[in-house]
Amino acid sequence: MRDIIARLGIWGELIQFLWRRKLYWLVPMILIIGLFALLIILGGNPVTAPFLYPLF
């Protein structure tokens, strides 16, 4: 398990922190924030932006 966490870098440290502190409720919030960040990044690209407009 530590091998996998070591390969993930900062994300592995975040997962390990949440697991130790029993902050499972933060996982959905982190996933949603990551999804919004991905949409913002893809929406700024003129090639992928037209494919995202129908979602909203």
Side-chain angles (χ1 to χ4, degrees):
M1 183 74 173
R2 287 186 181 176
D3 232 9
I4 296 170
I5 292 174
R7 289 183 187 173
L8 292 176
I10 190 74
W11 293 107
E13 289 182 24
L14 179 63
I15 292 168
Q16 193 174 22
F17 173 77
L18 293 175
W19 195 262
R20 284 184 186 168
R21 301 286 182 177
K22 298 188 182 355
L23 297 174
Y24 307 117
W25 56 274
L26 282 176
V27 174
M29 282 198 282
I30 292 172
L31 290 176
I32 290 174
I33 289 171
L35 179 66
F36 281 134
L38 182 66
L39 286 174
I40 289 170
I41 291 169
L42 290 177
N45 187 354
V47 175
T48 58
F51 297 108
L52 295 177
Y53 291 144
L55 296 177
F56 300 103

